[in-house]
Amino acid sequence: MRQRKIVLIVSIILGLGPQFVLTQDHPDSLPDIQYHLTAHPWRPLGIQSEAYLEAIEGICRAAARHQDARGAIIDPYLHREHQYSTPYFAFAVGVLTHAGQAMDLLDAGIKAMEHATTCLAGGSKKIPDQHGDFFIAPLAEALELYHDHVPAETWNRWRERMKTPLSQILSGMTDEINNWRTYAMKGEWMRAKAGLADRNKTVDWIEYSWNHHTQKERIVLDEWNLYQDWSSDPQSHAVEAVGRGNLTALMASGYDGPSADEIWRCVRRGAKTSLLLQAPDGQCPPNGRTDNHVFNDVLYQLIFEVMAEDAAQRGDIELAGRYRHAALLSFQSILRWRRTDDPFQGSFFITKNCFDPTLRVGHQPASQWGNYNGAVMFHLAEAYLAHQRQIEEQPAPAEIGGYAIETDARFSTFAANAGGMQVFVNLHGASMTKYGRSWTPLGTVRFGRVEWDGRLGPGDGEHDPKAGKSVTFRQWSEDSQHTTQARSGLTFAPTWREQGEWIRMADLHEHYRADAVVDFVHPLLVKFHLLYHYVTGRGGPCFHHEFIVTPDGVWTRLQPIQSVEYGLTIPLLKNDGRALQTKIQDQIASTMYAAGEDQQNFICLNPNAEMSGEDESICSAYGWLKPILVKTDGAPIDVFVYPKSAGQPEAKQVAGSFQNSDQGFSSILGRVQGTLYIGKTAAGGEGDRIDLDGNGEADVRFSQTCQFILQLQKGKVKKVETDRDVTMIYENQEINLRAYQPTDV
């Protein structure tokens, strides 16, 4: 078997203690997150599937305002029908009216069906932008939804049009082999089920696509069965969810061809992987082309809904509950980018910001209002139909923590999570541009925490391919259109002076990489470090960047391996179409929305450090990021990343209370001592005892060394969970514990 670098909670699950093997055989299946207790008080979201309908209706009503007399949905910015917006609208309206909702949109849905089926019957050249692959599934599924709402003559006419041979629908039967092929595979199976295509020929074509047109290689060969679109380097997590999502839908709809078992294994394992990559606020992972688009999170939502039903059907109720809750987190995430301005009320911004879409912030050429709002309504409608059972929500892995995962080298990303606090890192930057953009910057691009607005910190500051060259170009600025020098990349990463100029790590994507090494993993405490090093003959300084992840925030220490004038660059979100409240004061850089309570804080812990924000902002898909440079007199740079929520201490109080030690650190938020963490609502780690109140005496003892989680209330233990059978002694009581079974105290 191939070897690769990966660190998960597998050693904990197998009872191997704290020694984590960095290189091991490719496992047959992902280890489950066996812990149940969370660091922060947890509650189910309780969102009912009817909320999906409400969101779908909002988009459909906005789209209906732009429907022409033929029934086509006209993109209000392009002023023409674009790609698959019309069939997606037809399907979404069909789902609404089938559920007895928005009946006044029925006529618009019927007109859309008439127009879209006419386009399909005309073949590839009559289909807008030759996107026939995308037409097949929504129209095949919509037929039954409209059966009772149109005359038999109309319905039969649509059916006949839907029998158009696949060779006439696709623009190239042999050329389309990336995620587009999965749309056609899913759609053709839908047609075969509905009697619109020959079943045996359909199975043969799907099998051929799987075994001979690279679909198998794209997901089977990936180390965690993520879908590799092969359209950017590194691979795109956004487009990954497209291909894997379509394959998941193919299997959920009952595909039973010869490769069915193999495809099921891949999509089930890939779905478990994506649970570990999901951000605590519900966002899917960034990087690669088309990242930080709103529809990305809807794809995760749909996959999680399908897998919740699949797990429940197979009797794995706990996993089903985790998938269901993860789906609701994804849905909750997208609502932050729903528009309220007329005439677009109810629709969504295309990328994760609130800029006027005409500015095309974070867009690729295909990023248009009609098709990508169409994608949101279509996949939301599919998620509504997939949501069948009443499944009790369980905490998602992103809320429990206790893992660090490095993806396949083609994706080259790394995620660590402790107690619902996530750090996400791009281990190398884009090696080439896609649509003139460099989608993946090298360095740390996301810090996020449960029940906290992940937009705040720090987002994805992409590298500009023109950076460092003596050219000017048209760039939209914070204030106006103007000509300026090309901007550079921006991530939470090292910066150093070279020949009198400050160089950011994000700008040297061709020459540098980061290796992630994990030192300790527990649901309340993850320790890892990044080694930044050059991989070409360019040379340059190497850096060691240490991270200690806790439920409260992330302690970091940056230091060069050679002697060099250096600093740490911090991206601070300044404007995402709305001006944020930013401040650099008392060695703390902070940002927050004017109407919000959440705040991101970067607290410099070096007493003599210099923190400045003199460089110009750059625009990412999230918005304008202000580069903050932290420098010292050569000492290691210590920064604590503190995502503050309402009711928590102010950053200045945290900074004033912070103390480093050989064993870790402490503040009014909590403390780290070696392999132990003690906070306000949880404590635990690895050991046979723990001192909760800091008086030097153990408050809790165990019969043997174990990994454990204690849930606290006003300093008292209320629940406990351990990784093995042990006896706990607390307040003169002996409590017998079973592995991974939460016990009330």
Side-chain angles (χ1 to χ4, degrees), residues 642-661:
Y642 172 41
K644 176 188 176 299
S645 296
Q648 290 190 296
E650 296 297 329
K652 189 173 182 179
Q653 294 175 282
V654 175
S657 68
F658 217 96
Q659 292 186 341
N660 284 323
S661 69

Side-chain angles (χ1 to χ4, degrees), residues 41-89:
W42 182 87
R43 57 181 175 80
L45 293 175
I47 300 172
Q48 300 301 308
S49 60
E50 286 74 18
Y52 296 2
L53 291 178
E54 186 272 333
I56 297 164
E57 181 178 344
I59 313 172
C60 287
R61 291 198 179 280
R65 299 187 190 106
H66 304 285
Q67 188 177 40
D68 69 8
R70 300 170 301 161
I73 301 300
I74 304 301
D75 188 291
Y77 298 97
L78 293 176
H79 307 294
R80 67 174 179 86
E81 185 180 8
H82 182 242
Q83 294 186 357
Y84 41 81
S85 53
T86 303
Y88 280 14
F89 172 79

Side-chain angles (χ1 to χ4, degrees), residues 14-68:
L14 298 177
L16 300 181
Q19 301 302 314
F20 290 85
V21 180
L22 291 181
T23 304
Q24 63 183 39
D25 288 340
H26 181 181
D28 294 330
S29 62
L30 280 169
D32 291 325
I33 302 301
Q34 299 209 31
Y35 282 101
H36 303 81
L37 295 183
T38 58
H40 300 281
W42 182 87
R43 57 181 175 80
L45 293 175
I47 300 172
Q48 300 301 308
S49 60
E50 286 74 18
Y52 296 2
L53 291 178
E54 186 272 333
I56 297 164
E57 181 178 344
I59 313 172
C60 287
R61 291 198 179 280
R65 299 187 190 106
H66 304 285
Q67 188 177 40
D68 69 8

